[in-house]
Amino acid sequence: MEKVTIGKSSLESTRLVYGCMRIAGDNSPEARKRGREALKAAYDAGYNHFDHADIYGAGACEEVFAEAVEEFGFEREKLIVTSKCGIHFEDSPNAGDPKRYDFSRDHILRSVEGSLKRLKLDSLDLFLLHRPDYLMDAAATAATLQELVDSGMVRNCGVSNFSPSQFRMLQSFYGQPLVANQVEINIHNVDTLKDGTLDQCQELGVAPMAWCPIGGVAYPAWGNTFSPEDEARIKKEVDRQAAKYGVEDWVLILAWILKLPARVLPIIGSTTPERIRAALQSLDLEYSREDWYLMLEARDGNAVP
Ligand SMILES: NC(=O)c1ccc[n+]([C@@H]2O[C@H](COP(=O)([O-])OP(=O)(O)OC[C@H]3O[C@@H](n4cnc5c(N)ncnc54)[C@H](OP(=O)(O)O)[C@@H]3O)[C@@H](O)[C@H]2O)c1
């Protein structure tokens, strides 16, 4: 599979990343087995980059990954393993605690230690701060990132869901390049095309990773605001283009995202082996500029000015 360098790091990631958020399912033995099989399908299809977070399956997804590495003998040196932290769910660790973000040194260090233990790894190739903590002291957070790198727990750092100004602020205190910004990009949510996030990635050579890339097509995107009329108009154009290029709707939308010049890395979250393999078809589409704009027009409900 085509590879791209992750920002100013030495990590050569496959263009499609495999997202591990759903691989523990309901955490039953059957669901975990299905998750391991999904990981095997991804590894066999050539994906070398696996995206985690401490909170996925409350830690179970990282465990399932370690089980699959052992069971199928994935070669560690071929893998890029990413994990994230910074989100506390409600009632965690104490009943009554609200959902919140936490970039405190203690929380970050404890969380990365926990991820490494569950993943059975000595270091993460890439560590991302999951969502911007409004109470972040950027100098202190940058010092914690440096501590993670100096200790060998983490090789490279980046962020997720950061605005361009949040990225710039943290980068100004951090001595190494932040190498990735993982953000939501799909046909419903095109904020990063318009708010400077992807411009910043292109300008600084930061790798944009796209989460929930097929939201709005295969399933309603987070915070869906499309009306039934919007949905029908978009679906008509997606269907037309999918038939033209001879792929399924969601594969076509991956090609739409891949066309973005910041060289976005879509994160594929399906646990269905056929879909994990079929996603690769998006890399071979010779997708035209004209169709890209027709899709944007259908999405927006009007022509560009
Ligand atoms: N940084 C962040 O804040 C953040 C937030 C969310 C996610 N993420 C990362 O992004 C990754 C990808 O997100 P995602 O899992 O939402 O990705 P996705 O690839 O957009 O969606 C995958 C989901 O869509 C379903 N699906 C796929 N094709 C379908 C079809 N044709 N019809 C109906 N359903 C279909 C899959 O079901 P099956 O499994 O049954 O195929 C699965 O439930 C996650 O694994 C995680 O690593 C990051």
Side-chain angles (χ1 to χ4, degrees):
M1 199 191 311
E2 173 195 342
K3 289 195 176 155
V4 290
T5 307
I6 299 288
K8 292 189 173 70
S9 75
S10 59
L11 302 174
E12 295 289 318
S13 169
T14 47
R15 188 72 190 273
L16 300 182
V17 176
Y18 185 71
C20 300
M21 182 174 74
R22 303 174 192 271
I23 59 172
D26 62 6
N27 208 20
S28 62
E30 301 73 37
R32 288 172 74 113
K33 181 168 184 290
R34 181 174 147 83
R36 292 195 298 277
E37 282 161 3
L39 290 165
K40 182 172 185 332
Y43 183 83
D44 289 346
Y47 294 66
N48 75 348
H49 187 169
F50 295 83
D51 182 68
H52 290 273
D54 57 349
I55 56 171
Y56 293 165
C61 295
E62 291 177 326
E63 290 170 2
V64 169
F65 182 79
E67 289 165 10
V69 170
E70 258 171 41
E71 181 176 347
F72 302 118
F74 298 168
E75 291 178 67
R76 169 66 182 106
E77 58 280 10
K78 288 193 178 161
L79 303 178
I80 296 175
V81 181
T82 292
S83 196
K84 310 185 268 301
C85 89
I87 301 176
H88 277 290
F89 284 133
E90 60 187 309
D91 295 322
S92 162
N94 303 308
D97 288 345
K99 185 173 183 190
R100 64 208 184 279
Y101 307 138
D102 187 351
F103 287 178
S104 65
R105 175 179 177 275
D106 276 2
H107 178 65
I108 292 175
L109 295 184
R110 211 175 29 246
S111 166
V112 175
E113 275 166 20
S115 288
L116 291 174
K117 206 167 160 196
R118 290 186 293 273
L119 290 163
K120 297 193 178 165
L121 294 177
D122 296 328
S123 67
L124 292 175
D125 299 298
L126 177 58
F127 167 71
L128 307 179
L129 294 165
H130 204 155
R131 278 191 178 273
D133 176 3
Y134 302 108
L135 302 180
M136 157 172 65
D137 172 334
T141 304
T144 305
L145 297 183
Q146 190 62 54
E147 194 175 340
L148 286 172
V149 172
D150 291 345
S151 68
M153 293 165 79
V154 157
R155 289 176 60 204
N156 299 279
C157 295
V159 296
S160 177
N161 301 303
F162 268 45
S163 70
S165 62
Q166 289 162 336
F167 187 100
R168 203 178 310 116
M169 174 174 70
L170 183 60
Q171 183 64 87
S172 74
F173 288 99
Y174 183 50
Q176 324 279 337
L178 295 167
V179 300
N181 192 1
Q182 187 177 120
V183 291
E184 183 181 11
I185 309 176
N186 52 49
I187 197 66
H188 180 263
N189 188 339
V190 296
D191 290 355
T192 58
L193 281 66
K194 304 182 181 187
D195 67 7
T197 302
L198 290 182
D199 300 340
Q200 182 181 55
C201 287
Q202 203 175 164
E203 180 185 352
L204 301 180
V206 171
M209 298 167 69
W211 59 264
C212 296
I214 59 174
V217 180
Y219 56 91
W222 288 34
N224 186 22
T225 52
F226 288 150
S227 66
E229 295 74 35
D230 292 334
E231 304 269 17
R233 183 185 65 245
I234 296 163
K235 184 166 174 14
K236 191 172 165 205
E237 183 60 16
V238 175
D239 286 349
R240 183 192 74 77
Q241 293 195 16
K244 173 178 168 182
Y245 288 95
V247 292
E248 289 189 56
D249 285 6
W250 60 276
V251 175
L252 192 275
I253 289 300
L254 292 177
W256 190 79
I257 294 172
L258 289 164
K259 185 91 177 163
L260 292 164
R263 302 196 79 194
V264 176
L265 294 94
I267 315 176
I268 308 302
S270 172
T271 53
T272 309
E274 298 74 44
R275 288 179 181 153
I276 293 167
R277 291 188 282 270
L280 271 73
Q281 295 167 7
S282 62
L283 299 167
D284 295 328
L285 285 198
E286 294 197 14
Y287 189 59
S288 76
R289 174 180 289 267
E290 290 69 30
D291 283 329
W292 194 93
Y293 271 98
L294 285 169
M295 186 66 72
L296 183 71
E297 231 176 69
R299 184 225 170 263
D300 289 349
N302 47 43
V304 290

